[in-house]
Amino acid sequence: MKKEDYHFSYEVYDSINDLTGQDALLLSEARKVTASAYAPYSNFNVGAVAELENGEIVKGTNQENASYPVGLCAERSLLASAASLFPNVAINTMAISYNNVNGQSNRPISPCGMCRQSLVEYEERVNKPIRLIMSGQEGKVIVVEKADALLPFSFRSEDLK
Ligand code: THU
């Protein structure tokens, strides 16, 4: 038997004011686009904004449904849109934010497990890591260099071979 370690580093910023210009812009747009979410059941509006390698900006919001499991998260809504509009173009950075209508919105958001799985496969598909900027409407910001770091031991296409 041998023991192995898994380790990853991430950046923590006190606020959006400490980010570089482009990162601050993406986060500010992600905060704004939460207004386009369709989340009448959870009242938890999520917004994601990504800058693609070709310079295009793509947005996504969560889209819920009266049949709850049908609902789609903002991150996967964005990925579906990016892949449809700009197939095979890598995503440089994705900013994610939320507005919790019935509560606070100052803790950084973190993508759900299903979205992590989708993000990892997107990285693999276009062969480039996606930087994630995660925050609420205000307060702390966390930056991770690749979505893959959030899902160690992920199930991948090669596992199907
Ligand atoms: N949600 C997202 O869109 N992204 C996340 O990272 C976390 C959760 C959505 C799913 C559901 O519509 C609502 O937020 C509450 O879970």
Side-chain angles (χ1 to χ4, degrees), residues 83-115:
S84 307
L85 292 168
F86 306 105
N88 304 317
V89 177
I91 295 174
N92 289 338
T93 303
M94 182 189 298
I96 313 161
S97 185
Y98 67 99
N99 178 26
N100 182 3
V101 176
N102 299 321
Q104 296 207 318
S105 305
N106 53 9
R107 282 184 57 224
I109 191 169
S110 174
C112 79
M114 210 185 266
C115 287

Side-chain angles (χ1 to χ4, degrees), residues 39 42 44 46 62-64 72-75 96 109-112 115:
S42 69
F44 192 85
V46 186
N62 55 333
Q63 300 294 318
E64 296 185 348
L72 187 61
C73 292
E75 296 89 329
I96 313 161
I109 191 169
S110 174
C112 79
C115 287

Side-chain angles (χ1 to χ4, degrees), residues 38-43 63-73 76 114:
Y38 176 67
Y41 308 105
S42 69
N43 285 310
Q63 300 294 318
E64 296 185 348
N65 191 280
S67 173
Y68 294 177
V70 175
L72 187 61
C73 292
R76 277 175 297 130
M114 210 185 266

